[in-house]
Amino acid sequence: MKKYFWSLLAFAMVAMLSVSLSSCKNDDGIVEGATILGEWIHEDGVGDADVLVFTGSLTQGDVVYTELDDDDLPKTRTSTFTFDPSTGILKMPGLTYRDVKVITLKDTKLKLRYFPDDDDDTTFKRK
């Protein structure tokens, strides 16, 4: 009986582990057909926001970046951009000195690494 109990317990633990591992969903990646063009906003929850507006073609054009702060006037900067969907590399030379990595690009979600903070990931929603 003891042997049966331990076998059943081991089986149950393996089953639970496989269910918990298979339920993890990776939300990252560039969805085919999704476009970076349009207006994106990141709100930090305390009244500050970052807004990106991409215009042009799917792989190059112009970008306007606006920092909205409750205490100050909006700060707006512009740049050209190039975007390679196959590598996820976004270049905005007028806004940042380094390449920005597009972690996620979906119809309503844009997650960037190294912008606007050099050491953080930032998630924008389509406005």
Side-chain angles (χ1 to χ4, degrees):
M1 185 70 174
K2 244 184 185 181
K3 186 176 181 180
Y4 175 75
F5 172 76
W6 288 112
S7 296
L8 185 60
L9 182 63
F11 176 76
M13 291 184 71
V14 169
M16 288 174 51
L17 180 61
S18 65
V19 169
S20 66
L21 290 177
S22 65
S23 67
C24 294
K25 180 181 177 190
N26 187 353
D27 198 24
D28 295 339
I30 297 173
V31 173
E32 188 174 331
T35 179
I36 200 167
L37 298 177
E39 188 171 356
W40 300 90
I41 187 166
H42 165 74
E43 297 175 299
D44 68 1
V46 294
D48 297 342
D50 298 306
V51 180
L52 285 168
V53 180
F54 293 93
T55 57
S57 72
L58 298 175
T59 58
Q60 64 183 6
D62 296 312
V63 59
V64 177
Y65 171 61
T66 305
E67 290 179 83
L68 302 171
D69 188 344
D70 275 349
D71 300 333
D72 298 324
L73 294 174
K75 297 174 191 158
T76 300
R77 296 184 293 160
T78 61
S79 178
T80 59
F81 80 89
T82 58
F83 175 55
D84 183 351
S86 65
T87 62
I89 299 297
L90 173 63
K91 296 182 182 210
M92 301 179 291
L95 302 179
T96 182
Y97 66 93
R98 68 191 317 176
D99 293 347
V100 176
K101 177 70 175 164
V102 176
I103 304 297
T104 304
L105 176 57
K106 297 181 175 189
D107 289 336
T108 59
K109 182 179 179 182
L110 173 65
K111 185 175 181 182
L112 301 177
R113 178 162 293 151
Y114 308 130
F115 188 84
D117 300 318
D118 285 342
D119 58 349
D120 241 347
D121 294 350
T122 304
T123 301
F124 292 81
K125 294 179 182 177
R126 191 174 297 276
K127 192 170 178 186

